Amino acid sequence: MKTTMDLTDWLSCSGCGMLVYRKRFDRLSMVCPDCGKHGQLTAEQRLERLLDAGSGTPVEPGPSVHDPLAFEDLVPYTDRLDAARSRTGMDCAVRVVRGTVRGRGVVLAVMDFRYLGGSMGAAEGEAIVTAAEEALKHRLPLVVVTASGGARMQEGAFSLLQMARTSNAMAALDEAGLLTITLVTDPTYGGVAASFSTLSDVILAEPAARMGFAGPRVIEQTIRQKLPEGFQTAEFLLDHGLLDGVVPRGELPQVLESLLALGSPPDPEWGPEVTDPVIREPELLSRRPVEQVVGLARDLGRPTALDHVAAWGSEFVELRGDRAGADCPAVVGGLAELEGLPVMLIGHQKGHTTQELVRRDFGMPSPAGYRKAVRLMRLAAKLRVPVVTLVDTPGAHPGLEAERHGQAHAIAECLRVMGSLDVPVVSVITGEGGSGGALALAVADRLLLCENAIFSVISPEGCAAILWRSGEAAPAAAAALGVDAGTLLSNGIVDGVVPEPAGGAHRDPAVASELVRDAVVCALRELREQDGAALREARRRRLRWFGTYRERVAV
Ligand SMILES: [Zn+2]
């Protein structure tokens, strides 16, 4: 935001030009009340708005070489540094503070664009590394707020190397299982974008904040084309799977509070008093004709993954994107609280109306959906939180684009990573468990199936068309394939069946969600007592014997 009037009580918004009373603008954290444009904050202003009052302790980075090349262009570099210091009162473009955000301990590293455009020299690198080490020392999450034009040319290769230096400081936090969060503010470019900023577990951005490796002018000059509207903005990045969320400034403290709560070590004493609703004996199941079950499994009134988590009524922070170019709407995931226990919830997402179904690709994931799932599973393992998956898909998306982007590879990677996790994994097939696209999210310590859900190698229609050469044989195919709860439980394919309200889950979605929640809570209560290596070994042992004549190994 720039002042374009001499009247110092007023500011003109750089987004829409409206005049805003300075005090009001300040109260709104420099967000224009008219167009929503987020004006730049100084590091000081940012810290004031994020930290609990009086909680901040400054963390001083070690001394750095300030002008390693004795660089001089039109102006000696040291003069530029002096000017930046006197303008900002800062020693470098990053301020590091340890404090609390809504009562939760955190280390914050905040960049200030006024200091030589937030460019990264040795001192800035030192500040980021110091922040990471402080987080490590106190076992606290690290939050970085970025604003940078990129490298500091005046420091040559010393500047370049800060990318590797800061990236490796982030790696140490991964190894220690400490949550890292980035808030991208406008603009974040070059070496800062291509290092610590994008290595955080969770990447959030302010509305319209731009981030990229190459800046728009460089790209336009190189490709000799005009860039599309909104290119490299937060909204564009979210659509392309490169961010978890776009968060308006006013909502940030709440989102951070939720993330910090869900990313902190779970209570070892957790174990709510819940009655296990799961049926484990096939003879206790009420049977209905298989074709009826298939119809119920596909009923559009059944609760979806997002319905379930909403019905559980607890905290949920959705995390988005595969970090590689796409965000698949048919897979949702994020950190959720389950009866007080943080879990990583991942599920296929359908919808109740044609519009919702179209928006969610009918619950048929693209490779980006499976890659997002893998990313979230790895994050769960890092944070030591259990993985809970809700499976409901006709199958993985069959299509040109899906093939081009490696659908087979993406599903296979899910199967391998899920089997390798050293945290508890519970999967519930809540509707259609269609083929490899369903199994990709169902390699679990406990595989449960809702009473009217199905699990199948191929859709009954597909099977009928191929083997019976007639779609009309679908009911016969469904029966022959044994897609229903009774057959799956008898064959040991699923470990238990979650009852549904009379007539099916769509008749009383709230009760259906409670039953799913209780089933998962009871499974986790038991699994959490085992250590990670034992869980992984048992999960693999269970898979080892499927389809052999060996007796089933107790798990
Ligand atoms: Zn405005």
Side-chain angles (χ1 to χ4, degrees):
M1 301 268 168
K2 300 178 203 81
T3 313
T4 55
M5 297 179 68
D6 287 325
L7 300 165
T8 49
D9 281 351
W10 294 84
L11 285 168
S12 161
C13 167
S14 63
C16 66
M18 198 182 80
L19 287 178
V20 191
Y21 192 50
R22 186 187 286 274
K23 280 186 180 154
R24 179 166 182 228
F25 193 46
D26 196 53
R27 235 182 4 254
L28 294 168
S29 291
M30 315 292 174
V31 178
C32 172
D34 204 44
C35 72
K37 163 106 183 173
H38 282 49
Q40 227 159 40
L41 292 180
T42 66
E44 188 63 42
Q45 289 169 329
R46 176 72 64 182
L47 287 165
E48 255 169 42
R49 280 162 174 81
L50 282 182
L51 285 172
D52 298 333
S55 75
T57 307
V59 180
E60 294 305 329
S64 286
V65 286
H66 278 298
D67 185 13
L69 304 177
F71 196 92
E72 197 166 333
D73 47 89
L74 299 175
V75 183
Y77 174 41
T78 46
D79 289 2
R80 291 189 195 273
L81 282 174
D82 289 343
R85 283 190 189 118
S86 62
R87 195 165 52 242
T88 59
M90 295 166 71
D91 275 338
C92 75
V94 184
R95 278 200 52 188
V96 182
V97 173
R98 177 162 50 85
T100 60
V101 173
R102 297 200 173 180
R104 304 224 165 237
V106 69
V107 175
L108 271 163
V110 180
M111 302 190 77
D112 196 315
F113 197 76
R114 297 171 309 156
Y115 193 104
L116 299 178
S119 55
M120 187 156 60
E124 286 71 22
E126 178 64 28
I128 296 295
V129 171
T130 301
E133 286 169 355
E134 183 77 1
L136 208 55
K137 185 167 122 197
H138 295 274
R139 293 208 58 82
L140 288 172
L142 174 68
V143 177
V144 292
V145 180
T146 63
S148 176
R152 178 90 45 89
M153 285 174 281
Q154 294 91 336
E155 295 188 21
F158 285 92
S159 168
L160 181 65
L161 263 293
Q162 302 309 316
M163 290 170 68
R165 187 186 186 202
T166 55
S167 297
N168 282 276
M170 295 297 278
L173 296 183
D174 290 338
E175 287 148 19
L178 295 169
L179 179 67
T180 52
I181 301 171
T182 293
L183 176 70
V184 177
T185 75
D186 190 60
T188 296
Y189 275 102
V192 167
S195 61
F196 60 94
S197 308
T198 44
L199 291 176
S200 286
D201 298 323
V202 178
I203 309 178
L204 306 172
E206 292 196 322
R210 291 161 300 163
M211 178 170 72
F213 184 57
R217 243 182 313 162
V218 173
I219 302 172
E220 283 184 337
Q221 282 163 10
T222 309
I223 65 171
R224 293 172 196 286
Q225 278 174 34
K226 193 105 189 80
L227 291 170
E229 185 75 16
F231 185 71
Q232 292 182 323
T233 60
E235 295 72 17
F236 171 95
L237 299 169
L238 185 66
D239 279 348
H240 289 84
L242 302 169
L243 294 180
D244 289 288
V246 177
V247 183
R249 200 167 282 166
E251 293 170 23
L252 185 65
Q254 173 62 55
V255 173
L256 281 184
E257 183 186 11
S258 301
L259 281 170
L260 295 173
L262 293 167
S264 53
D267 176 10
E269 299 301 311
W270 180 85
E273 302 271 324
V274 172
T275 310
D276 192 354
V278 171
I279 298 166
R280 293 186 174 77
E281 302 304 324
E283 51 275 18
L284 297 178
L285 285 170
S286 51
R287 299 282 188 126
R288 43 164 56 100
V290 179
E291 67 265 30
Q292 232 181 62
V293 177
V294 174
L296 285 169
R298 292 170 177 168
D299 194 291
L300 290 183
R302 285 178 87 78
T304 65
L306 289 177
D307 292 336
H308 281 300
V309 72
W312 298 342
S314 43
E315 206 74 72
F316 175 59
V317 182
E318 188 176 351
L319 302 175
R320 289 177 50 182
D322 69 350
R323 294 281 194 276
D327 182 43
C328 171
V331 172
V332 293
L335 284 163
E337 190 197 329
L338 189 65
E339 293 285 294
L341 182 76
V343 299
M344 185 64 78
L345 184 102
I346 304 167
H348 298 96
Q349 179 65 25
K350 287 186 181 172
H352 302 296
T353 62
T354 309
Q355 209 181 11
E356 281 173 13
L357 284 166
V358 169
R359 190 171 106 64
R360 296 288 181 181
D361 292 338
F362 296 85
M364 295 189 292
S366 64
Y370 296 110
R371 292 191 174 120
K372 169 162 65 180
V374 162
R375 177 172 85 83
L376 298 184
M377 288 171 198
R378 291 202 168 115
L379 177 55
K382 171 185 161 176
L383 298 175
R384 314 288 318 148
V385 302
V387 172
V388 175
T389 65
L390 301 177
V391 176
D392 184 15
T393 178
H397 196 276
L400 202 73
E401 280 305 295
E403 292 299 316
R404 210 199 312 272
H405 290 106
Q407 187 71 285
H409 300 62
I411 290 172
E413 186 65 4
C414 258
L415 298 172
R416 172 163 66 180
V417 169
M418 265 193 116
S420 308
L421 294 171
D422 56 3
V423 290
V425 185
V426 177
S427 296
V428 186
I429 302 169
T430 58
E432 267 183 293
S435 190
L439 181 63
L441 297 188
V443 181
D445 302 311
R446 294 290 179 276
L447 177 58
L448 305 173
L449 178 93
C450 287
E451 189 181 340
N452 297 306
I454 57 172
F455 189 33
S456 180
V457 66
I458 184 172
S459 74
E461 292 77 6
C463 177
I466 295 166
L467 296 182
W468 275 258
R469 298 180 192 281
S470 155
E472 280 166 29
L481 286 167
V483 301
D484 62 304
T487 314
L488 292 164
L489 187 60
S490 304
N491 288 337
I493 305 289
V494 300
D495 302 302
V497 174
V498 185
E500 292 186 20
H506 62 290
R507 291 284 177 84
D508 195 343
V511 169
S513 288
E514 269 173 39
L515 288 161
V516 169
R517 180 198 59 201
D518 290 354
V520 173
V521 165
C522 292
L524 287 178
R525 202 168 50 190
E526 188 195 324
L527 292 166
R528 278 192 85 229
E529 295 184 356
Q530 301 174 39
D531 84 333
L535 281 169
R536 186 175 48 213
E537 201 202 318
R539 200 179 307 137
R540 287 190 173 158
R541 200 168 56 225
R542 180 180 181 279
L543 293 168
R544 169 67 181 85
W545 302 114
F546 269 120
T548 67
Y549 281 109
R550 298 279 291 261
E551 274 192 46
R552 224 161 47 92
V553 177
V555 287

